[in-house]
Amino acid sequence: DGKATAGRGSGSGFDVAYHDMTAPLEVIARRLRNHLAMIDANEEARERRNARVLQASFITEFGLEHGLPEVRDPTAEAMLSDFLLRVTEWGRRDRASAERVKSLNLE
């Protein structure tokens, strides 16, 4: 139907709930691709995202360079851990998938 959905779902249609790391890797990838397409389709949103990324990177690098202690984010770390688990599961599907995961050098 073309509408973006934020909730959990089967990953069909134009679902953009890529933060849900309980889904299979293919669904997460499709949702992320949908999310990026939605942002890229709107020039203002794309420019705002790009500016925020640059600002966040600058602030982080500046702070770390000048003694700001590195802060751990348990939520982000859990999401990354869950994502890497999905990648590992996907890599066990077949030899080609295993080779692709191995080439990512995620360790």
Side-chain angles (χ1 to χ4, degrees):
D1 64 357
K3 286 195 262 180
T5 59
R8 293 179 187 208
S10 66
S12 61
F14 202 74
D15 191 353
V16 296
Y18 68 91
H19 287 92
D20 178 6
M21 294 297 131
T22 62
L25 187 62
E26 295 89 343
V27 173
I28 295 168
R30 182 173 48 250
R31 290 173 176 171
L32 182 57
R33 194 170 40 247
N34 289 345
H35 172 76
L36 293 174
M38 185 175 67
I39 290 174
D40 287 341
N42 179 317
E43 185 177 346
E44 182 181 335
R46 183 177 60 246
E47 288 175 3
R48 190 172 51 244
R49 178 199 58 202
N50 291 345
R52 283 182 149 180
V53 167
L54 288 173
Q55 290 168 350
S57 177
F58 173 78
I59 291 168
T60 300
E61 293 299 320
F62 184 86
L64 292 174
E65 186 66 29
H66 293 281
L68 183 69
E70 192 169 329
V71 177
R72 297 185 69 93
D73 180 352
T75 302
E77 289 176 359
M79 182 184 275
L80 178 59
S81 178
D82 290 346
F83 176 73
L84 292 175
L85 181 60
R86 296 294 87 76
V87 171
T88 300
E89 291 168 354
W90 182 80
R92 292 183 183 144
R93 292 182 338 169
D94 54 41
R95 187 171 191 80
S97 298
E99 289 300 316
R100 172 149 308 168
V101 170
K102 186 177 177 183
S103 74
L104 295 174
N105 222 356
L106 296 173
E107 296 177 18

